[in-house]
Amino acid sequence: MTRIILKPHKARPFYARHPWVLDSAIERIEGQAADGDVVDLLSDKGKFVARGLYNSRSRIRVRLYTWNAAEPLDDSFWRGRLATALQFRRQLGYDDPRGAARLVFSEGDGLSGLIVDRYADYLAVQANALAMAVRLPLIVSCLVELTGARGVVVRTERGISRAEGLELRDGPYCGQALDGPLEILENGLRYSVDLAEGQKTGFYLDQRENRKIAAGYLRAYRVLDMFCYSGGFSLAASVLGGAKEVLAVDSSAKALALAEANARLNSATNIRFQCGEGFETLESLAAAGERFDAVILDPPKFARTRGAVKDALQAYHWLNRLALAVLEPGGILITCSCSGHVSREDFLYMLVGAARQTRRDIQILDTRGAAPDHPVLCSCLESEYLKCFICRAL
Ligand code: SAH
């Protein structure tokens, strides 16, 4: 077995089970390792720390999967990890065959670099690590066997593929190919999901529980759903929540087309869709004197790197201030951030600042994260990325 020897004093995070070994922590490599190979991680004193998979092309040189020296990373290991992750989704009750769920959430499920989403009887698989990409034939065959999926689609994230030196292409992988969007049920609502062309793997499954809880605050309200994508929150507000009317805004015409189709699927007739840039739209709504009883803010990731956090917090601050400007006194603000680098505490203080600057009393009613099929791993807090605060602004 090839051995990766850590620099002195660099072993602590890995004893604490953080799964990413950066090139900067590595002293030397004993033996030969090709990309995707199994390697052992040893302390500078030569003691076994963990076992993982190697990638010379990534800043994450080794991804760790087991801390048990007696456990080989062989086919039955991967099969076992997948089976455990799937069993937990069944336990959660996320096994409605018409529904959708994240079956595998990377580090959260001890499978760093692998994401698997189930949409009805199709799977969307994202390999965000080269070691997972080279194991796709095994992983997909286990998944098909365990789920009975009719077809599997591969999706990639461009930035990540580059960082990992991946050469995967988006498209059908095996089974029956899809000839268009498919339909899923979430919280009793029908959503059409485009696995081939949609954002992420087609739908933002992480907000499932937040959509349902949010709906409970919106009865008879006039709601603004900013960054609506395919209408996730808008439909929950209109149909589940009994909102009076919803204005749904997104800058992507493609997303809005999906959202309009989804509104029709659910016979929701009180949602109006508008194509526009988020900040500009809020500014012009405020200038036009438009007011809402509730505003939902679910913007795209503002901070892609640690260095971008300061600017991102400024952008969140400004966005939330603009939202407060169109929010009636006593109105509900549902504000989210999916930037992993922006901590929960940072986000809270951003909100404190927005309250101070606008002289509004903001009550926090519920602080939420991603749905439980996106488990947050304590030893890898990078897996805690989604913040969703439900607030009231007096
Ligand atoms: N709330 C949605 C998910 C939102 S994802 C749901 O429940 O499914 C973020 C959305 O913001 C995407 O649909 C993207 O098209 C949109 N977006 C990105 N940049 C934007 C901008 N500057 N202005 C408006 N929308 C933007």
Side-chain angles (χ1 to χ4, degrees):
M1 182 80 69
T2 300
R3 293 145 52 107
I4 308 287
I5 316 295
L6 288 165
K7 288 180 180 162
H9 313 298
K10 288 285 184 188
R12 188 187 291 199
F14 311 115
Y15 280 124
R17 299 192 167 211
H18 197 287
W20 301 342
V21 185
L22 302 188
D23 51 355
S24 55
I26 296 173
E27 176 78 39
R28 64 178 192 281
I29 301 178
E30 293 181 359
Q32 294 287 323
D35 291 341
D37 278 1
V38 178
V39 293
D40 277 355
L41 185 71
L42 275 71
S43 72
D44 62 311
K45 308 268 185 324
K47 215 173 131 209
F48 176 87
V49 180
R51 183 163 294 142
L53 301 177
Y54 182 76
N55 183 2
S56 67
R57 285 181 266 189
S58 172
R59 203 171 65 92
I60 304 180
R61 203 47 63 87
V62 183
R63 291 176 188 263
L64 300 175
Y65 297 91
T66 182
W67 281 261
N68 174 359
E71 190 168 45
L73 301 185
D74 55 10
D75 290 6
S76 76
F77 172 87
W78 301 111
R79 190 175 201 292
R81 278 280 156 97
L82 292 168
T84 303
L86 268 58
Q87 167 56 30
F88 177 55
R89 275 59 181 186
R90 274 194 291 280
Q91 176 65 22
L92 288 171
Y94 289 161
D95 54 355
D96 180 343
R98 298 161 302 168
R102 176 148 293 188
L103 301 181
V104 177
F105 182 47
S106 204
E107 286 75 20
D109 284 296
L111 287 164
S112 179
L114 181 70
I115 285 179
V116 182
D117 290 334
R118 178 181 66 81
Y119 295 102
D121 48 5
Y122 277 81
L123 302 178
V125 176
Q126 227 181 48
N128 292 332
L130 179 132
M132 292 292 111
V134 300
R135 284 168 177 74
L136 266 191
L138 168 73
I139 288 167
V140 170
S141 89
C142 290
L143 286 168
V144 169
E145 189 193 319
L146 291 164
T147 61
R150 188 196 294 259
V152 179
V153 172
V154 166
R155 294 296 304 264
T156 54
E157 237 182 88
R158 213 178 311 137
I160 293 183
S161 302
R162 214 176 308 120
E164 284 281 317
L166 284 178
E167 272 154 35
L168 270 182
R169 281 228 176 133
D170 280 19
Y173 186 83
C174 66
Q176 203 170 312
L178 279 161
D179 50 9
L182 55 72
E183 197 181 306
I184 59 150
L185 266 187
E186 179 194 87
N187 300 321
L189 298 169
R190 297 166 66 186
Y191 292 93
S192 161
V193 179
D194 189 344
L195 263 61
E197 309 242 321
Q199 297 184 21
K200 294 267 192 157
T201 65
F203 198 66
Y204 290 86
L205 294 169
D206 50 0
Q207 294 279 26
R208 178 204 301 105
E209 306 301 327
N210 299 336
R211 292 186 189 108
K212 183 162 84 187
I213 298 290
Y217 291 89
L218 304 176
R219 178 149 308 277
Y221 272 8
R222 179 162 197 251
V223 178
L224 174 62
D225 179 14
M226 293 299 303
F227 311 96
C228 68
Y229 184 50
S230 61
F233 279 99
S234 298
L235 283 168
S238 164
V239 183
L240 299 180
K244 184 168 71 189
E245 58 183 51
V246 181
L247 175 60
V249 179
D250 202 283
S251 61
S252 155
K254 238 175 166 176
L256 287 170
L258 278 172
E260 284 183 53
N262 286 334
R264 280 195 299 275
L265 263 182
N266 293 277
S267 313
T269 51
N270 61 349
I271 308 175
R272 197 153 54 82
F273 296 94
Q274 189 175 317
C275 194
E277 198 285 323
F279 289 79
E280 286 170 12
T281 304
L282 279 169
E283 269 170 16
S284 50
L285 286 169
E290 295 266 7
R291 293 296 178 267
F292 298 86
D293 305 304
V295 179
I296 300 160
L297 297 176
D298 186 17
K301 203 190 270 185
F302 285 165
R304 301 213 159 261
T305 61
R306 206 171 292 280
V309 167
K310 205 168 151 245
D311 286 350
L313 281 168
Q314 251 164 20
Y316 285 120
H317 175 87
W318 192 236
L319 182 67
N320 280 270
R321 280 182 65 173
L322 287 172
L324 288 164
V326 297
L327 188 63
E328 295 279 12
I332 294 289
L333 173 68
I334 298 171
T335 181
C336 309
S337 159
C338 59
S339 305
H341 294 290
V342 171
S343 72
R344 198 161 272 277
E345 199 182 11
D346 284 344
F347 194 65
L348 174 63
Y349 281 101
M350 175 284 298
L351 208 53
V352 169
R356 192 181 301 144
Q357 297 289 332
T358 56
R359 298 171 187 273
R360 300 280 288 265
D361 283 321
I362 296 186
Q363 303 168 317
I364 296 174
L365 311 175
D366 198 356
T367 57
R368 309 182 54 83
D373 52 351
H374 297 63
V376 174
L377 187 69
C378 277
S379 56
C380 179
L381 287 180
E382 288 84 350
S383 56
E384 209 229 6
Y385 67 102
L386 185 66
K387 283 78 61 188
C388 172
F389 285 36
I390 301 180
C391 312
R392 184 163 165 258
L394 302 171

mmCIF file of all heavy atoms in Angstrom, residues 324-352:
data_model
loop_
_atom_site.group_PDB
_atom_site.id
_atom_site.type_symbol
_atom_site.label_atom_id
_atom_site.label_comp_id
_atom_site.label_asym_id
_atom_site.label_seq_id
_atom_site.Cartn_x
_atom_site.Cartn_y
_atom_site.Cartn_z
ATOM 1 N N LEU A 324 -36.135 44.428 3.167
ATOM 2 C CA LEU A 324 -36.836 45.089 4.269
ATOM 3 C C LEU A 324 -37.549 46.349 3.780
ATOM 4 O O LEU A 324 -38.601 46.726 4.303
ATOM 5 C CB LEU A 324 -35.850 45.428 5.400
ATOM 6 C CG LEU A 324 -35.366 44.206 6.193
ATOM 7 C CD1 LEU A 324 -34.118 44.539 7.013
ATOM 8 C CD2 LEU A 324 -36.477 43.675 7.099
ATOM 9 N N ALA A 325 -36.976 46.964 2.745
ATOM 10 C CA ALA A 325 -37.588 48.198 2.222
ATOM 11 C C ALA A 325 -38.948 47.931 1.574
ATOM 12 O O ALA A 325 -39.775 48.838 1.485
ATOM 13 C CB ALA A 325 -36.644 48.862 1.218
ATOM 14 N N VAL A 326 -39.188 46.709 1.115
ATOM 15 C CA VAL A 326 -40.495 46.424 0.499
ATOM 16 C C VAL A 326 -41.384 45.600 1.428
ATOM 17 O O VAL A 326 -42.451 45.128 1.028
ATOM 18 C CB VAL A 326 -40.368 45.697 -0.869
ATOM 19 C CG1 VAL A 326 -39.650 46.581 -1.885
ATOM 20 C CG2 VAL A 326 -39.665 44.356 -0.718
ATOM 21 N N LEU A 327 -40.921 45.399 2.670
ATOM 22 C CA LEU A 327 -41.662 44.545 3.601
ATOM 23 C C LEU A 327 -42.514 45.384 4.548
ATOM 24 O O LEU A 327 -42.010 46.294 5.210
ATOM 25 C CB LEU A 327 -40.667 43.687 4.399
ATOM 26 C CG LEU A 327 -41.248 42.586 5.284
ATOM 27 C CD1 LEU A 327 -41.977 41.542 4.449
ATOM 28 C CD2 LEU A 327 -40.141 41.913 6.101
ATOM 29 N N GLU A 328 -43.793 45.068 4.592
ATOM 30 C CA GLU A 328 -44.719 45.761 5.496
ATOM 31 C C GLU A 328 -44.275 45.602 6.951
ATOM 32 O O GLU A 328 -43.686 44.570 7.301
ATOM 33 C CB GLU A 328 -46.127 45.140 5.375
ATOM 34 C CG GLU A 328 -46.796 45.317 4.045
ATOM 35 C CD GLU A 328 -47.447 46.692 3.882
ATOM 36 O OE1 GLU A 328 -47.195 47.592 4.708
ATOM 37 O OE2 GLU A 328 -48.189 46.855 2.892
ATOM 38 N N PRO A 329 -44.592 46.557 7.815
ATOM 39 C CA PRO A 329 -44.298 46.359 9.235
ATOM 40 C C PRO A 329 -45.009 45.089 9.736
ATOM 41 O O PRO A 329 -46.177 44.869 9.408
ATOM 42 C CB PRO A 329 -44.909 47.609 9.905
ATOM 43 C CG PRO A 329 -45.028 48.623 8.813
ATOM 44 C CD PRO A 329 -45.227 47.862 7.531
ATOM 45 N N GLY A 330 -44.290 44.282 10.477
ATOM 46 C CA GLY A 330 -44.860 43.009 10.950
ATOM 47 C C GLY A 330 -44.766 41.894 9.935
ATOM 48 O O GLY A 330 -45.244 40.787 10.173
ATOM 49 N N GLY A 331 -44.125 42.181 8.793
ATOM 50 C CA GLY A 331 -44.043 41.190 7.712
ATOM 51 C C GLY A 331 -42.990 40.117 7.983
ATOM 52 O O GLY A 331 -42.135 40.253 8.853
ATOM 53 N N ILE A 332 -43.103 39.049 7.202
ATOM 54 C CA ILE A 332 -42.211 37.888 7.368
ATOM 55 C C ILE A 332 -41.066 37.970 6.350
ATOM 56 O O ILE A 332 -41.293 38.176 5.155
ATOM 57 C CB ILE A 332 -43.004 36.579 7.135
ATOM 58 C CG1 ILE A 332 -44.055 36.388 8.234
ATOM 59 C CG2 ILE A 332 -42.074 35.371 7.053
ATOM 60 C CD1 ILE A 332 -43.504 36.027 9.605
ATOM 61 N N LEU A 333 -39.854 37.804 6.850
ATOM 62 C CA LEU A 333 -38.675 37.736 5.978
ATOM 63 C C LEU A 333 -38.076 36.340 6.109
ATOM 64 O O LEU A 333 -37.691 35.929 7.206
ATOM 65 C CB LEU A 333 -37.644 38.791 6.403
ATOM 66 C CG LEU A 333 -36.294 38.719 5.678
ATOM 67 C CD1 LEU A 333 -36.431 39.093 4.200
ATOM 68 C CD2 LEU A 333 -35.270 39.631 6.354
ATOM 69 N N ILE A 334 -38.029 35.629 4.991
ATOM 70 C CA ILE A 334 -37.398 34.305 4.995
ATOM 71 C C ILE A 334 -36.113 34.463 4.202
ATOM 72 O O ILE A 334 -36.148 34.683 2.990
ATOM 73 C CB ILE A 334 -38.334 33.249 4.388
ATOM 74 C CG1 ILE A 334 -39.594 33.156 5.260
ATOM 75 C CG2 ILE A 334 -37.627 31.895 4.283
ATOM 76 C CD1 ILE A 334 -40.698 32.310 4.683
ATOM 77 N N THR A 335 -34.984 34.420 4.906
ATOM 78 C CA THR A 335 -33.728 34.781 4.256
ATOM 79 C C THR A 335 -32.733 33.630 4.340
ATOM 80 O O THR A 335 -32.526 33.056 5.399
ATOM 81 C CB THR A 335 -33.161 36.102 4.840
ATOM 82 O OG1 THR A 335 -31.948 36.424 4.157
ATOM 83 C CG2 THR A 335 -32.918 36.038 6.336
ATOM 84 N N CYS A 336 -32.151 33.296 3.182
ATOM 85 C CA CYS A 336 -31.298 32.106 3.105
ATOM 86 C C CYS A 336 -29.909 32.463 2.589
ATOM 87 O O CYS A 336 -29.715 33.468 1.909
ATOM 88 C CB CYS A 336 -31.895 31.084 2.136
ATOM 89 S SG CYS A 336 -33.624 30.717 2.447
ATOM 90 N N SER A 337 -28.966 31.585 2.892
ATOM 91 C CA SER A 337 -27.638 31.656 2.290
ATOM 92 C C SER A 337 -27.148 30.230 2.081
ATOM 93 O O SER A 337 -27.207 29.412 2.987
ATOM 94 C CB SER A 337 -26.662 32.384 3.214
ATOM 95 O OG SER A 337 -25.329 32.030 2.867
ATOM 96 N N CYS A 338 -26.672 29.956 0.873
ATOM 97 C CA CYS A 338 -26.145 28.610 0.617
ATOM 98 C C CYS A 338 -24.632 28.662 0.435
ATOM 99 O O CYS A 338 -24.032 27.748 -0.115
ATOM 100 C CB CYS A 338 -26.827 27.987 -0.594
ATOM 101 S SG CYS A 338 -26.616 28.932 -2.093
ATOM 102 N N SER A 339 -24.002 29.765 0.908
ATOM 103 C CA SER A 339 -22.537 29.864 0.820
ATOM 104 C C SER A 339 -21.935 29.146 2.017
ATOM 105 O O SER A 339 -22.054 29.627 3.147
ATOM 106 C CB SER A 339 -22.085 31.324 0.854
ATOM 107 O OG SER A 339 -22.716 32.072 -0.153
ATOM 108 N N GLY A 340 -21.277 28.038 1.782
ATOM 109 C CA GLY A 340 -20.672 27.272 2.867
ATOM 110 C C GLY A 340 -19.635 28.069 3.643
ATOM 111 O O GLY A 340 -19.460 27.875 4.840
ATOM 112 N N HIS A 341 -18.957 28.996 2.953
ATOM 113 C CA HIS A 341 -17.905 29.757 3.631
ATOM 114 C C HIS A 341 -18.470 30.813 4.574
ATOM 115 O O HIS A 341 -17.763 31.310 5.438
ATOM 116 C CB HIS A 341 -16.995 30.426 2.601
ATOM 117 C CG HIS A 341 -16.214 29.433 1.789
ATOM 118 N ND1 HIS A 341 -15.202 28.681 2.317
ATOM 119 C CD2 HIS A 341 -16.322 29.052 0.496
ATOM 120 C CE1 HIS A 341 -14.699 27.888 1.385
ATOM 121 N NE2 HIS A 341 -15.373 28.088 0.274
ATOM 122 N N VAL A 342 -19.735 31.188 4.373
ATOM 123 C CA VAL A 342 -20.379 32.157 5.276
ATOM 124 C C VAL A 342 -20.991 31.359 6.425
ATOM 125 O O VAL A 342 -21.880 30.547 6.221
ATOM 126 C CB VAL A 342 -21.458 32.964 4.527
ATOM 127 C CG1 VAL A 342 -22.281 33.814 5.485
ATOM 128 C CG2 VAL A 342 -20.815 33.828 3.450
ATOM 129 N N SER A 343 -20.496 31.595 7.637
ATOM 130 C CA SER A 343 -20.966 30.789 8.766
ATOM 131 C C SER A 343 -22.353 31.253 9.208
ATOM 132 O O SER A 343 -22.803 32.346 8.885
ATOM 133 C CB SER A 343 -19.995 30.901 9.936
ATOM 134 O OG SER A 343 -20.111 32.189 10.510
ATOM 135 N N ARG A 344 -22.989 30.407 9.976
ATOM 136 C CA ARG A 344 -24.292 30.714 10.547
ATOM 137 C C ARG A 344 -24.213 32.003 11.381
ATOM 138 O O ARG A 344 -25.093 32.851 11.357
ATOM 139 C CB ARG A 344 -24.691 29.520 11.418
ATOM 140 C CG ARG A 344 -26.121 29.387 11.773
ATOM 141 C CD ARG A 344 -26.424 27.970 12.219
ATOM 142 N NE ARG A 344 -26.776 27.157 11.070
ATOM 143 C CZ ARG A 344 -28.003 27.119 10.546
ATOM 144 N NH1 ARG A 344 -28.985 27.794 11.079
ATOM 145 N NH2 ARG A 344 -28.250 26.394 9.482
ATOM 146 N N GLU A 345 -23.115 32.102 12.128
ATOM 147 C CA GLU A 345 -22.934 33.269 12.996
ATOM 148 C C GLU A 345 -22.727 34.541 12.165
ATOM 149 O O GLU A 345 -23.321 35.576 12.449
ATOM 150 C CB GLU A 345 -21.743 33.016 13.916
ATOM 151 C CG GLU A 345 -21.745 33.915 15.115
ATOM 152 C CD GLU A 345 -20.523 33.691 15.985
ATOM 153 O OE1 GLU A 345 -19.580 32.993 15.544
ATOM 154 O OE2 GLU A 345 -20.520 34.233 17.089
ATOM 155 N N ASP A 346 -21.894 34.439 11.124
ATOM 156 C CA ASP A 346 -21.693 35.579 10.204
ATOM 157 C C ASP A 346 -23.027 36.039 9.639
ATOM 158 O O ASP A 346 -23.303 37.236 9.542
ATOM 159 C CB ASP A 346 -20.850 35.157 8.993
ATOM 160 C CG ASP A 346 -19.377 35.032 9.309
ATOM 161 O OD1 ASP A 346 -18.956 35.550 10.356
ATOM 162 O OD2 ASP A 346 -18.659 34.395 8.510
ATOM 163 N N PHE A 347 -23.837 35.072 9.260
ATOM 164 C CA PHE A 347 -25.110 35.393 8.617
ATOM 165 C C PHE A 347 -26.033 36.085 9.630
ATOM 166 O O PHE A 347 -26.704 37.068 9.307
ATOM 167 C CB PHE A 347 -25.753 34.114 8.069
ATOM 168 C CG PHE A 347 -26.879 34.371 7.110
ATOM 169 C CD1 PHE A 347 -26.659 34.993 5.890
ATOM 170 C CD2 PHE A 347 -28.180 33.990 7.424
ATOM 171 C CE1 PHE A 347 -27.700 35.238 5.003
ATOM 172 C CE2 PHE A 347 -29.228 34.227 6.543
ATOM 173 C CZ PHE A 347 -28.985 34.851 5.336
ATOM 174 N N LEU A 348 -26.012 35.588 10.853
ATOM 175 C CA LEU A 348 -26.816 36.198 11.919
ATOM 176 C C LEU A 348 -26.393 37.651 12.126
ATOM 177 O O LEU A 348 -27.234 38.548 12.197
ATOM 178 C CB LEU A 348 -26.640 35.389 13.209
ATOM 179 C CG LEU A 348 -27.299 35.966 14.458
ATOM 180 C CD1 LEU A 348 -28.811 36.010 14.291
ATOM 181 C CD2 LEU A 348 -26.940 35.136 15.687
ATOM 182 N N TYR A 349 -25.068 37.891 12.176
ATOM 183 C CA TYR A 349 -24.615 39.266 12.410
ATOM 184 C C TYR A 349 -24.874 40.171 11.216
ATOM 185 O O TYR A 349 -25.088 41.372 11.377
ATOM 186 C CB TYR A 349 -23.168 39.288 12.913
ATOM 187 C CG TYR A 349 -23.178 38.948 14.389
ATOM 188 C CD1 TYR A 349 -22.845 37.678 14.841
ATOM 189 C CD2 TYR A 349 -23.647 39.875 15.319
ATOM 190 C CE1 TYR A 349 -22.940 37.339 16.183
ATOM 191 C CE2 TYR A 349 -23.752 39.552 16.660
ATOM 192 C CZ TYR A 349 -23.396 38.283 17.085
ATOM 193 O OH TYR A 349 -23.514 37.965 18.405
ATOM 194 N N MET A 350 -24.891 39.581 10.026
ATOM 195 C CA MET A 350 -25.298 40.357 8.844
ATOM 196 C C MET A 350 -26.725 40.872 9.062
ATOM 197 O O MET A 350 -27.034 42.043 8.810
ATOM 198 C CB MET A 350 -25.211 39.452 7.607
ATOM 199 C CG MET A 350 -25.700 40.048 6.311
ATOM 200 S SD MET A 350 -27.492 40.140 6.144
ATOM 201 C CE MET A 350 -27.945 38.418 6.207
ATOM 202 N N LEU A 351 -27.567 40.002 9.592
ATOM 203 C CA LEU A 351 -28.967 40.353 9.821
ATOM 204 C C LEU A 351 -29.089 41.407 10.935
ATOM 205 O O LEU A 351 -29.891 42.344 10.850
ATOM 206 C CB LEU A 351 -29.720 39.077 10.211
ATOM 207 C CG LEU A 351 -31.192 38.969 9.895
ATOM 208 C CD1 LEU A 351 -31.468 39.254 8.433
ATOM 209 C CD2 LEU A 351 -31.683 37.558 10.256
ATOM 210 N N VAL A 352 -28.248 41.253 11.955
ATOM 211 C CA VAL A 352 -28.203 42.242 13.038
ATOM 212 C C VAL A 352 -27.891 43.621 12.439
ATOM 213 O O VAL A 352 -28.536 44.622 12.759
ATOM 214 C CB VAL A 352 -27.137 41.846 14.099
ATOM 215 C CG1 VAL A 352 -26.888 42.981 15.086
ATOM 216 C CG2 VAL A 352 -27.562 40.573 14.819
#
